[in-house]
Amino acid sequence: MVSLTTMVLLACAVTWIFASTLQRQAQHDGEKLAQSYVTQGVQSKIGVNMLSFWSRPDSAPPAVVQSLDTIGRSNGVAVLDSLSLYNIDGEPLWTSTGTPQDAPPLDMNAANGALDNLSAVSSIEDTADGKTLSVTVPVVYGDRLTGAYGIAEVQLPWDATEQLIWRSVVTIAAVMTVITLLAWLLLYRTVHRASSTLRRQAEENERLALHDALTGLPNRRLLQDRLDRAIVTGGRNGTNVGLMILDVDRFKEVNDTLGHDRGDALLIEVAKRLMEVVRDADTVARLGGDEFAVLAPDIGSTIDAERLAQRVHSAFDDPFFIGELLLHIESSIGVALLPEHAENSTELMQRADTAMYTAKATHLGALMYRPGEDEHSTERLHLLGDLRNALGTKQLSIHYQPKIDLNTDQVIGTEALLRWNHPERGNIPPNDFIPLAENTGLIQGLTRYVLEMVCAQISEWDRLGAEFAHLPVAVNLSARNLLEPTFADFLEDILASHLIEPQRLELEVTESALIEDPVRSHQMMHKIAALGVTLAMDDFGTGYTSMSQLETMPLSTLKIDRSFTARLADDPGGATLVKAMVDLAHEFGLEVVAEGVEDAEVMARLRELGCDIGQGYVWSRPVASDALPQVLFQLSFRRRVAPSSAAPH
């Protein structure tokens, strides 16, 4: 900001320039006045007919000398201090103050300057009577090129002029002082206001650079800074530093179904709750999206960290009120400690992140990092990236496994199963990549991709007039698809685009999928059933479905999980459970399918227990679509040559 001292110095400089200009102008005016005396007075009395005067002054008539004595009055100008005439050598010829000998000595420097330029030269001199403006004027007749004949020195009073200059300078100084003060005050206020605005803006920019704009929490950058400081302090004091990475489960569904405004409101409420449950020394940060972090410096032991993690996880126990909505939200938390699990901040972040993904995959809520998980996590990330790239390529294919009527041995349908032939790893089991897709949300796009491929295959079978074209095909459906608001519309569109009757398609939903959001899941199932698509409950017996839910869900089939089927051969208790599930399903008017039938003994036991349909290796492994006709022919041939095997025991 411009200082007052600078403004004062500027005003003084302006005043000095003004004073110097006034003095130069006054001096110039004095020179013009002196020049006027010489041209109108001296040269008018000593004309060209008396040029000898400049070499012999006694040759001048007495009248000329007298008129020189009264030159001031004869020209009607102010009285001079003195007027003296000299020849060009500087010798006095005449003076108004007495005889030539009384003339003041001529300043030869000034005289030479005047003669060289044929113009007046002036200087201010101090005398006994005050200050005088001494003007040296060359006396020139006719053409200036002829040179000077003599020199006149005019002395004008200067005290009055100097006083006038001084009064003017004082006046301008006062005016400049006032203007300077006013200008400074105005400039000060303007600059101060602008400076304050810029300072506030800089502070706000710094805050935004270190804090999340939505929740106001520290962002990743500020968390990293505090983490580095905590590690230095912990190393000096010998204490542990804890870090938690928290992810809001199924947040994408909130955004997709309720809108981003509601999603943002939920994140704000999550931030508030986290701040309420942590310690004063802890830092809660938002890393981005639905991911948060809690930095716990000086955490103590692993047990202390686990307790804090459970307290953070319990912040999600109560539902969140978002407007008029009541949302039940859960979280997955990964915890890591330094120096127990990591040596630096980068490793600590990575280990906590790995533990969080493990907690999400295992649905354990909060989980401490376990050594050895990093390799699995890295492998999982690579596999997930490869799976994304495999969508829409020949790496992914559909295999079909027949479903057999246990009473007639006839093939009554098939199940479509996704297979992945990785170009480098070969065939990857579904158990390795399907859960990965489920936990990351890729399963939604993957399921839609499978449905597109299956519908295209059914349409192709119809076009070719295949004997088995009428068989319905079952496709596994993810819980995430049930929560998609537009999934029923998508299903209707692909059935219509491939000209497929809805009953040709059966969707299998796992029992565990229905417990995540029963209300919305049931609503979507009813929309699907309204299209004419049949629904089956897969892996029945592994979840917590109640009889009241079975009664309200639009199901046509229950599929008994293979874990129960496998027990039939050598566990009497297994047969009891299967019999109970079969009877329960029949009470609700549902057909029962047993998965994982591996041998003839299990197949026979299922028939005894009243199971309707079987599926497993005892009949056929899943095969590619081009191999399916041969498999179905072999099954049909087997049924014809051994008809007695189809009779119930």
Side-chain angles (χ1 to χ4, degrees):
M1 187 181 69
V2 179
S3 66
L4 181 59
T5 302
T6 302
M7 296 292 288
V8 170
L9 291 176
L10 179 62
C12 291
V14 172
T15 303
W16 179 83
I17 292 173
F18 177 76
S20 300
T21 302
L22 282 180
Q23 180 166 314
R24 284 197 301 271
Q25 184 61 45
Q27 239 178 296
H28 181 66
D29 291 343
E31 292 173 357
K32 291 175 65 177
L33 179 61
Q35 185 74 48
S36 175
Y37 280 138
V38 173
T39 56
Q40 297 179 17
V42 174
Q43 291 184 219
S44 65
K45 303 304 179 184
I46 307 174
V48 293
N49 56 341
M50 299 181 186
L51 292 179
S52 59
F53 171 83
W54 298 104
S55 58
R56 292 185 296 105
D58 57 350
S59 65
V64 171
V65 175
Q66 184 179 3
S67 60
L68 287 174
D69 293 338
T70 59
I71 189 171
R73 292 190 298 274
S74 65
N75 283 279
V77 294
V79 176
L80 305 175
D81 279 352
S82 68
L83 172 62
S84 302
L85 301 179
Y86 306 83
N87 63 21
I88 57 175
D89 294 326
E91 296 176 355
L93 302 177
W94 175 89
T95 180
S96 63
T97 59
T99 64
Q101 291 73 21
D102 297 325
L106 181 64
D107 184 350
M108 291 307 298
N109 290 330
N112 291 331
L115 292 172
D116 289 341
N117 297 309
L118 295 180
S119 61
V121 175
S122 64
S123 63
I124 300 172
E125 300 176 355
D126 290 322
T127 65
D129 297 328
K131 288 188 176 183
T132 299
L133 177 64
S134 179
V135 183
T136 304
V137 182
V139 181
V140 180
Y141 294 87
D143 190 350
R144 293 174 60 88
L145 294 178
T146 59
Y149 287 85
I151 300 171
E153 184 172 78
V154 182
Q155 292 186 339
L156 302 173
W158 187 253
D159 287 335
T161 301
E162 188 171 62
Q163 291 176 4
L164 179 61
I165 292 174
W166 174 249
R167 286 195 298 269
S168 299
V169 169
V170 170
T171 301
I172 192 62
V175 172
M176 285 300 300
T177 301
V178 173
I179 292 175
T180 299
L181 288 174
L182 292 176
W184 182 80
L185 290 174
L186 179 61
L187 184 62
Y188 174 81
R189 292 187 59 185
T190 303
V191 172
H192 179 72
R193 185 162 54 247
S195 176
S196 299
T197 301
L198 291 174
R199 185 168 56 253
R200 287 193 301 269
Q201 186 64 47
E203 292 172 353
E204 179 65 14
N205 291 341
E206 183 179 2
R207 190 191 69 80
L208 291 176
L210 298 175
H211 291 80
D212 174 55
L214 177 65
T215 63
L217 294 177
N219 60 12
R220 186 183 293 271
R221 179 180 171 187
L222 182 55
L223 174 70
Q224 183 67 54
D225 180 71
R226 293 185 180 179
L227 176 58
D228 292 338
R229 293 173 182 268
I231 291 175
V232 172
T233 303
R236 186 167 54 246
N237 300 335
T239 56
N240 293 323
V241 177
L243 182 67
M244 303 176 199
I245 303 295
L246 180 149
D247 184 80
V248 180
D249 294 342
R250 296 168 39 226
F251 176 73
K252 184 177 184 300
E253 297 167 15
V254 175
N255 263 349
D256 292 343
T257 57
L258 302 180
H260 290 276
D261 290 343
R262 298 284 178 84
D264 289 347
L266 174 61
L267 293 177
I268 293 173
E269 292 302 316
V270 168
K272 291 179 180 178
R273 289 201 186 179
L274 294 178
M275 290 296 295
E276 291 172 356
V277 298
V278 300
R279 307 171 305 170
D280 292 340
D282 298 336
T283 295
V284 178
R286 184 186 177 203
L287 302 182
D290 61 340
E291 197 171 55
F292 294 81
V294 177
L295 170 62
D298 191 17
I299 189 59
S301 65
T302 302
I303 296 177
D304 295 328
E306 289 177 339
R307 287 174 180 170
L308 179 59
Q310 290 299 329
R311 191 160 71 246
V312 171
H313 189 261
S314 66
F316 292 79
D317 290 346
D318 295 330
F320 290 84
F321 288 91
I322 307 299
E324 71 283 2
L325 298 177
L326 188 65
L327 300 180
H328 292 271
I329 302 296
E330 296 182 352
S331 64
S332 298
I333 303 173
V335 189
L337 294 181
L338 186 147
E340 182 171 345
H341 301 138
E343 296 181 356
N344 52 55
S345 62
T346 302
E347 287 187 358
L348 187 63
M349 291 279 287
Q350 181 183 358
R351 303 289 160 79
D353 199 52
T354 298
M356 184 273 290
Y357 276 109
T358 304
K360 182 178 285 291
T362 56
H363 304 286
L364 293 178
L367 190 65
M368 183 69 68
Y369 171 78
R370 293 188 295 249
E373 287 181 341
D374 282 325
E375 182 178 351
H376 175 67
S377 176
T378 303
E379 176 72 15
R380 183 176 63 238
L381 290 176
H382 285 303
L383 195 63
L384 179 62
D386 291 346
L387 182 57
R388 291 184 188 275
N389 295 330
L391 277 174
T393 69
K394 293 183 178 180
Q395 294 183 36
L396 298 177
S397 61
I398 304 296
H399 284 205
Y400 297 87
Q401 186 175 38
K403 295 196 292 185
I404 310 300
D405 188 322
L406 292 176
N407 293 312
T408 65
D409 274 345
Q410 288 183 324
V411 178
I412 53 92
T414 62
E415 180 179 2
L417 299 166
L418 183 63
R419 293 294 181 263
W420 184 10
N421 185 15
H422 194 281
E424 298 175 358
R425 308 184 189 192
N427 291 319
I428 299 178
N431 288 340
D432 287 350
F433 69 86
I434 294 297
L436 179 62
E438 286 276 6
N439 292 330
T440 59
L442 182 60
I443 192 66
Q444 291 167 275
L446 199 60
T447 302
R448 291 187 176 219
Y449 175 73
V450 171
L451 285 168
E452 287 277 10
M453 294 179 67
V454 168
C455 288
Q457 183 63 71
I458 294 174
S459 179
E460 178 66 12
W461 287 336
D462 286 345
R463 188 183 66 83
L464 296 175
E467 294 182 3
F468 56 87
H470 64 285
L471 297 177
V473 180
V475 177
N476 290 291
L477 192 64
S478 167
R480 292 179 180 266
N481 294 113
L482 289 178
L483 300 177
E484 288 186 73
T486 61
F487 181 73
D489 297 330
F490 162 77
L491 197 59
E492 184 177 15
D493 289 342
I494 63 169
L495 290 172
S497 64
H498 292 287
L499 302 177
I500 298 174
E501 296 177 355
Q503 61 269 23
R504 300 275 298 282
L505 190 64
E506 182 181 49
L507 298 182
E508 297 182 0
V509 184
T510 61
E511 187 179 6
S512 58
L514 300 176
I515 66 175
E516 291 195 20
D517 195 331
V519 175
R520 290 168 58 199
S521 297
H522 286 197
Q523 290 174 348
M524 182 55 67
M525 290 176 67
H526 281 283
K527 290 182 180 180
I528 294 172
L531 297 176
V533 177
T534 58
L535 287 162
M537 178 176 287
D538 198 8
D539 300 336
F540 183 70
T542 60
Y544 304 93
T545 303
S546 66
M547 286 187 291
S548 62
Q549 287 178 311
L550 285 177
E551 186 178 17
T552 58
M553 287 187 289
L555 299 171
S556 61
T557 305
L558 287 184
K559 297 190 71 173
I560 299 175
D561 186 68
R562 64 180 61 249
S563 62
F564 297 102
T565 305
R567 296 169 57 185
L568 289 178
D570 53 11
D571 184 1
T576 302
L577 287 175
V578 172
K579 177 61 176 174
M581 285 187 279
V582 169
D583 291 342
L584 176 64
H586 288 166
E587 285 294 326
F588 284 103
L590 305 176
E591 287 188 317
V592 180
V593 178
E595 295 182 294
V597 183
E598 307 294 338
D599 54 52
E601 182 181 355
V602 172
M603 179 176 63
R605 291 290 290 151
L606 288 169
R607 283 179 176 144
E608 292 176 359
L609 296 173
C611 187
D612 303 303
I613 302 168
Q615 180 181 344
Y617 287 177
V618 69
W619 292 286
S620 172
R621 291 177 176 272
V623 296
S625 59
D626 56 357
L628 183 60
Q630 180 65 27
V631 170
L632 296 181
F633 174 78
Q634 292 174 352
L635 291 174
S636 177
F637 180 78
R638 184 192 305 177
R639 183 176 64 85
R640 289 196 300 271
V641 299
S644 60
S645 65
H649 288 45

